[in-house]
Amino acid sequence: KIMSTGRKVKSSYKQRANILLRAKEGETHTNIAKVYDIQINTVIKWRNKWIRNYEEIMKTETEDPKKLK
């Protein structure tokens, strides 16, 4: 959630984070697309990427930060 509100994060990353947060909260693809003035396919693309890569993302998130340097 930090990424969705951070000031120094690229706006495209913020948008992706917000798309995923809204989708997680149950908002429809159509409504998310309207909010961000984007195509529904873009919402679906980012949601599908998240779903496909969820395990890898969670693995990275739970690793010791010292190992990631």
Side-chain angles (χ1 to χ4, degrees), residues 41-55:
N41 290 343
T42 303
V43 176
I44 294 167
K45 175 180 83 173
W46 286 111
R47 188 151 192 212
N48 286 340
K49 281 187 176 194
W50 173 261
I51 291 167
R52 274 195 314 271
N53 296 298
Y54 178 80
E55 286 184 29

Side-chain angles (χ1 to χ4, degrees), residues 21-66:
L21 287 171
R22 287 175 176 266
K24 181 181 181 271
E25 292 171 358
E27 200 164 332
T28 66
H29 294 151
T30 303
N31 197 53
I32 295 169
K34 285 180 185 176
V35 168
Y36 294 104
D37 194 28
I38 58 176
Q39 298 293 316
I40 292 172
N41 290 343
T42 303
V43 176
I44 294 167
K45 175 180 83 173
W46 286 111
R47 188 151 192 212
N48 286 340
K49 281 187 176 194
W50 173 261
I51 291 167
R52 274 195 314 271
N53 296 298
Y54 178 80
E55 286 184 29
E56 187 64 30
I57 293 166
M58 290 299 102
K59 180 179 155 190
T60 302
E61 289 291 319
T62 58
E63 283 184 9
D64 183 354
K66 294 174 189 169

Side-chain angles (χ1 to χ4, degrees), residues 9-30:
V9 176
K10 270 177 75 173
S11 64
S12 60
Y13 293 158
K14 284 184 194 180
Q15 185 181 64
R16 290 175 201 161
N18 283 316
I19 288 169
L20 294 170
L21 287 171
R22 287 175 176 266
K24 181 181 181 271
E25 292 171 358
E27 200 164 332
T28 66
H29 294 151
T30 303

